[in-house]
Amino acid sequence: MASAKSLVPAALLLTAAACGPAPPPTPSHPALDAVSWTQLSAEREALVRGIYTSATRALDVALGEHRPAGDARPPAVVLDVDETVLDNAPFEAALLKSGAPFDPALWNRWVDAARAEPLPGAIGFLAHCRDAGVATFFITNRRADQEEATRRNLERLGIPVLDEPDGLLMREEKPEWGRDKASRRAQVARTHHIVLLIGDDLGDFLPNVTDAGVDTARRRERVAEHAQLWGHRWFVLPNPLYGSWKGALWGFARGLSEEERRRAQFDALHGDTGAPPAE
């Protein structure tokens, strides 16, 4: 006859079996909050809609302002594409749920599918531009070989893209068109008077903000130097998923491991619990 001591493990096994399979572990991906907020929060939708509403009003004001004599260039608005007009949160969510890191091949497949939906308010704003006779130019750091798919995605949503002059300016479409968008903005400015800029990254507005050694303090100084433009002529949409704001935390240093990057991100935080300072 088995002793009471020998029956304990069997009893535990029967109890565990009755409870069914163990639940999966709670997801702990570091991007879970950012992806969830971007894809699911009503606050994000409200914020983005509000920005596009403000941009619509600012466009009307800008069109009514006096132009310098002799400047006959027609007005234009310049917009980024990703997380400004097109919403890539489903792609980010798919990576997170699969546990896969960012992979250019997966990104290429998503871009080629042309399934990205518009951000809230973007379609209405672009329609207002069209009705007001304002040209729209899209400056994106998607690569030149993704131009056809990007154009297809925009046009599927009813967003026309200019053919002449080029209304979709891709990274590396010309040798001098690198990640910095200043040269592409300059090309638009040769033929059009840019009245508004809309994007989700500081590089959508200012040059040389993704250079090696440029840290968050310098970028914040650059923002302050143009204080009169934010919310009047320049409109930033929120993007906690990715962007040059992350690279600035480690000064855009190359060759760092993911652990080193996350350590730099963690160390850059300034904490304060409200406790009295130590003596």
Side-chain angles (χ1 to χ4, degrees):
M1 180 175 179
S3 66
K5 183 177 180 181
S6 66
L7 291 174
V8 171
L12 290 176
L13 288 173
L14 288 172
T15 302
C19 294
T26 302
S28 59
H29 194 285
L32 178 59
D33 283 347
V35 175
S36 298
W37 185 85
T38 300
Q39 188 173 48
L40 305 174
S41 74
E43 289 82 356
R44 187 251 191 164
E45 178 163 349
L47 179 59
V48 172
R49 285 189 183 279
I51 291 169
Y52 270 118
T53 297
S54 297
T56 300
R57 293 171 179 163
L59 177 61
D60 292 341
V61 171
L63 294 177
E65 290 182 344
H66 177 72
R67 294 275 300 278
D71 186 356
R73 293 173 301 165
V77 172
V78 171
L79 305 97
D80 177 46
V81 172
D82 295 309
E83 278 51 74
T84 299
V85 176
L86 298 182
D87 186 355
N88 298 297
F91 172 75
E92 299 290 341
L95 290 183
L96 188 150
K97 297 191 80 168
S98 69
F102 177 82
D103 182 341
L106 294 177
W107 171 247
N108 290 344
R109 188 174 70 184
W110 166 252
V111 170
D112 191 59
R115 288 208 296 261
E117 292 300 317
L119 263 70
I123 297 296
F125 172 78
L126 291 167
H128 185 77
C129 291
R130 185 167 60 250
D131 293 344
V134 177
T136 51
F137 290 84
F138 303 96
I139 298 181
T140 173
N141 273 344
R142 291 185 177 195
R143 295 192 322 271
D145 59 3
Q146 297 170 324
E147 181 168 3
E148 186 276 331
T150 303
R151 180 182 290 266
R152 180 160 34 91
N153 200 153
L154 293 169
E155 293 180 343
R156 178 182 69 81
L157 299 174
I159 302 171
V161 181
L162 290 172
D163 289 315
E164 184 60 41
D166 186 3
L168 184 56
L169 290 74
M170 316 294 290
R171 174 165 59 98
E172 298 170 0
E173 189 175 342
K174 293 184 178 181
E176 65 272 24
W177 289 1
R179 287 190 174 275
D180 194 298
K181 296 181 175 180
S183 59
R184 284 174 278 172
R185 289 193 293 270
Q187 168 147 320
V188 174
R190 291 189 189 102
T191 59
H192 287 72
H193 173 59
I194 299 174
V195 293
L196 297 186
L197 297 175
I198 304 179
D200 68 303
D201 191 281
L202 198 58
D204 295 324
F205 307 90
L206 293 166
N208 306 319
V209 292
T210 60
D211 295 343
V214 176
D215 60 11
T216 55
R218 178 55 187 145
R219 285 160 61 91
R220 289 164 73 94
E221 289 173 359
R222 297 290 303 279
V223 168
E225 290 166 2
H226 299 83
Q228 75 281 5
L229 292 171
W230 306 109
H232 294 281
R233 295 292 178 269
W234 296 356
F235 292 86
V236 185
L237 289 98
N239 181 5
L241 298 171
Y242 63 87
S244 64
W245 68 269
K246 279 191 173 183
L249 296 172
W250 48 85
F252 300 99
R254 299 186 178 277
L256 298 181
S257 66
E258 183 62 25
E259 182 178 351
E260 289 172 322
R261 291 181 175 187
R262 296 195 65 78
R263 170 52 60 181
Q265 188 172 348
F266 183 84
D267 290 345
L269 297 173
H270 304 286
D272 188 346
T273 65
E279 296 182 358

